[in-house]
Amino acid sequence: ARSSNWADALASRSGQAGRLATLAGTEVVVVHHVFRPDDSAQVLEVGTALPARSTALGKVLLAYGATHPPELAEVRAHGWAAERGEQEPGLGAIAAPVRAAGGLVVAALGVGGPLTSLFDGRGVPRSLLLAMVVDAAHAVSRELGHGGG
């Protein structure tokens, strides 16, 4: 509930869809979804289960989970994850961890949209967009009592 305002503001500022998800086994479940602030056709994703390994949200949650697979060490090192057409061709996402008071990652917050909107020609996340995602995730974490962001 505390993330709603941040996710809404993130979608508005970024021009992309905002999503908050939690891990449920090998899937992520979208618990909050904010439409892109344009007039394009969109489907509400709240309650949708997505494969964790092919989504930015899932990569974040897996990287910080109990088993934290070695191939996701880069996510932990950077503090965010990217998805470049793995879930749906032409679409991508950027996500960052949301931490509770003790530092445990309890959710992932991110934005999704067309690859060309999220990444440059080399597949690098657009810096302003990446900063918005990480800052919003840190803000939600602070509201949950995590001092480190």
Side-chain angles (χ1 to χ4, degrees):
R2 293 184 182 205
S3 67
S4 296
N5 289 340
W6 292 104
D8 293 352
L10 177 61
S12 177
R13 288 183 16 239
S14 70
Q16 306 302 320
R19 294 187 294 185
L20 180 79
T22 60
L23 192 61
T26 60
E27 297 180 316
V28 291
V29 177
V30 178
V31 296
H32 185 68
H33 176 224
V34 185
F35 288 142
R36 284 185 309 277
D38 62 18
D39 292 332
S40 64
Q42 300 175 64
V43 176
L44 186 63
E45 296 179 10
V46 172
T48 300
L50 304 167
R53 291 195 176 272
S54 62
T55 62
L57 297 163
K59 290 175 189 179
V60 164
L61 294 167
L62 290 172
Y64 290 95
T67 59
H68 53 274
E71 71 269 16
L72 295 176
E74 187 174 308
V75 172
R76 291 174 69 92
H78 290 270
W80 53 268
E83 166 193 341
R84 297 173 185 88
E86 296 150 81
Q87 180 64 25
E88 191 172 337
L91 298 178
I94 302 167
V98 173
R99 296 175 184 274
L104 179 69
V105 172
V106 294
L109 177 64
V111 294
L115 290 172
T116 54
S117 296
L118 302 175
F119 304 97
D120 67 16
R122 299 168 307 177
V124 176
R126 298 193 183 279
S127 58
L128 181 59
L129 193 56
L130 178 59
M132 286 180 194
V133 170
V134 171
D135 289 349
H138 286 180
V140 174
S141 297
R142 281 191 301 276
E143 284 207 15
L144 296 177
H146 180 65

